[in-house]
Amino acid sequence: MSQAMPATVQPAKPAIPYRTASEVSGGDIAGAFGAAIALLVLALAAAWLARRLGWMQRWGVGPVGAPAPAPSLRIEQTLRLSPRTVLYRIADGDQRFLLAETREGVQWLPLAAAGPRQEAAHAP
């Protein structure tokens, strides 16, 4: 019995040529980091210029000229009528309202404008 000698095996040629260069160098990392910093500086400069020229206000992003006035709505007095009912006297500028809050809902009643003399006349 004689056995045939196998043919010499040669490595297959790779289908995809692999990169034989070295890994990423420090210079490549520094270049990418420098480009990112440059883009950040460019974006900040553009935002500063847009704010300075008033473009942010036009786009509705920046602050408007005068600050908004403080809201004048305030609770002047609170009166607990029962464990489940609270009465609030609310003022909005010169207007006054009564708000009754119960478990069943809320009722809103505008009050007539009362001057200091009318309030003093009703005092006991």
Side-chain angles (χ1 to χ4, degrees), residues 15-41:
I16 301 172
Y18 293 103
R19 186 166 93 177
T20 57
S22 66
E23 297 179 9
V24 179
S25 68
D28 293 340
I29 293 173
F33 187 69
I37 295 294
L39 286 174
L40 179 64
V41 168

Side-chain angles (χ1 to χ4, degrees), residues 14-79:
I16 301 172
Y18 293 103
R19 186 166 93 177
T20 57
S22 66
E23 297 179 9
V24 179
S25 68
D28 293 340
I29 293 173
F33 187 69
I37 295 294
L39 286 174
L40 179 64
V41 168
L42 182 65
L44 289 174
W48 176 78
L49 182 65
R51 183 176 181 203
R52 183 137 177 130
L53 294 177
W55 296 345
M56 296 260 208
Q57 289 176 356
R58 190 176 328 153
W59 297 330
V61 178
V64 182
S72 60
L73 188 65
R74 65 187 182 284
I75 297 175
E76 290 185 336
Q77 188 176 8
T78 303
L79 179 63

Side-chain angles (χ1 to χ4, degrees), residues 75-121:
I75 297 175
E76 290 185 336
Q77 188 176 8
T78 303
L79 179 63
R80 181 167 293 280
L81 301 176
S82 72
R84 296 182 179 158
T85 305
V86 181
L87 185 67
Y88 299 97
R89 185 172 65 190
I90 301 172
D92 184 15
D94 293 335
Q95 298 177 333
R96 302 241 182 313
F97 303 95
L98 279 181
L99 183 123
E101 177 186 12
T102 64
R103 189 174 218 175
E104 290 79 32
V106 175
Q107 290 183 346
W108 182 263
L109 176 69
L111 295 175
R117 291 182 185 168
Q118 291 178 350
E119 290 177 6

